[in-house]
Amino acid sequence: MTQSPTQTPTALQHIELGVTGMTCSSCSSRVQRKLNKLDGVDASVNFSTETAAVDFDASATTPQMLIDEVRKAGYDAFALDDGAESADGAGGAEGASSSERLENARLEEAEKLKRTTIWAALVSLPVMLVSMIPSLQFTNWQWAAFAATTLVFFAAGSVFHRATWANLKHGAMTMDTLITLGTSAAYLWSAWALFFGNAGEPGMTMEMSILPSHAGMDEIYLESVCVVLTFLLLGRWFETRAKGQSSEALRELLDMGAKDAAIIRDGKEVRVPIGQVAVGDRFVVRPGERWPRTAA
């Protein structure tokens, strides 16, 4: 953010945003770049805590404009400040604190990933077994596997495909892009082999092999699509849970900080709330007391 020398300095307002949908550090970098392109905005996005700390000029930008900019980037955002307007307009009316709103959003995402992972695993397991064990391969088994894989690819895999599409619209590629490319290649080749090759013929069999085969038009890789997506969903679920636990630990550390401070003013010691401690204040910290964090 730059300011012309002829402009009168404007007091910036501060807001904390919760940002959901980020899957890697490049996502947070992209959100940060998008926010900083707005007039009078200085933003810092933290992928680990899924938050954005934004200083903005209220005469040029509003909190809703910040939220809309995050959504244009393919993610979602809501105000964390108590009493501030949230993404759905409810804000603090529901009485939820900043940490509660962020934690609720994270829990909702984790629960959704958990449900998706479970049903994807239940569908993928039969596909994997029937593809690798010839004795389980009944007549036209490949078509049943294709139907199950299609469900996993489009429904469960939409977690990655939606992120890929959102990133491509902005000319960016992330880990989700690689996942979509890899699983799409295996799925499309299998579909081609089934409909236009020999893989769709009744009585076709496959078996697990460490060494590569002739890889003709009778080779399908449906089990690879299912297993890869299921394991990646499992990893995404674990990652979401881990971020929630680390954020909770950070909040507990912050809560351990001092709530007030003993300030020396006019030669006297007075206790004031920690929010009133400013740069340049002299304060007293006695043995056993917590060190107050000064506000900039």
Side-chain angles (χ1 to χ4, degrees), residues 37 41 60 107 114 119 142 149 157 168 171 177 221 240 254 262 284 292:
K37 287 182 179 179
V41 172
L107 288 175
K114 177 182 177 181
W119 75 254
Q142 66 271 38
T149 303
L168 289 178
T177 309
Y221 305 95
T240 303
L254 291 175
V284 178

Side-chain angles (χ1 to χ4, degrees), residues 93-238:
E94 297 178 356
S97 67
S98 301
S99 58
E100 287 174 344
R101 285 198 291 272
L102 182 59
E103 185 63 22
N104 289 339
R106 186 179 288 114
L107 288 175
E108 182 179 352
E109 181 183 3
E111 186 62 27
K112 183 178 179 181
L113 283 170
K114 177 182 177 181
R115 293 194 301 267
T116 304
T117 302
I118 290 175
W119 75 254
L122 293 175
V123 175
S124 299
L125 182 60
V127 175
M128 181 184 67
L129 293 177
V130 75
S131 299
M132 294 184 173
I133 304 177
S135 60
L136 299 179
Q137 295 170 0
F138 51 89
T139 304
N140 291 324
W141 66 270
Q142 66 271 38
W143 292 104
F146 178 71
T149 303
T150 300
L151 178 63
V152 173
F153 178 75
F154 285 103
S158 63
V159 174
F160 308 105
H161 305 329
R162 284 197 303 266
T164 297
W165 175 244
N167 292 323
L168 289 178
K169 287 192 297 184
H170 296 87
M173 291 185 291
T174 64
M175 178 181 64
D176 297 294
T177 309
L178 298 178
I179 295 172
T180 296
L181 286 175
T183 55
S184 295
Y187 178 81
L188 292 176
W189 169 263
S190 300
W192 178 272
L194 284 170
F195 287 96
F196 302 104
N198 303 323
E201 296 179 356
M204 191 275 285
T205 60
M206 284 179 54
E207 60 182 10
M208 182 173 61
S209 176
I210 298 177
L211 300 177
S213 62
H214 58 281
M217 289 296 290
D218 59 348
E219 294 293 322
I220 56 178
Y221 305 95
L222 300 174
E223 76 286 354
S224 299
V225 177
C226 290
V227 172
V228 167
L229 287 176
T230 299
F231 273 103
L232 289 172
L233 282 169
L234 183 64
R236 183 68 55 84
W237 174 39
F238 286 158

Side-chain angles (χ1 to χ4, degrees), residues 45-63:
V45 181
N46 190 313
F47 169 67
S48 299
T49 59
E50 296 180 300
T51 58
V54 186
D55 294 317
F56 65 99
D57 181 0
S59 63
T61 307
T62 64

Side-chain angles (χ1 to χ4, degrees), residues 36 44 215:
N36 285 326
S44 177

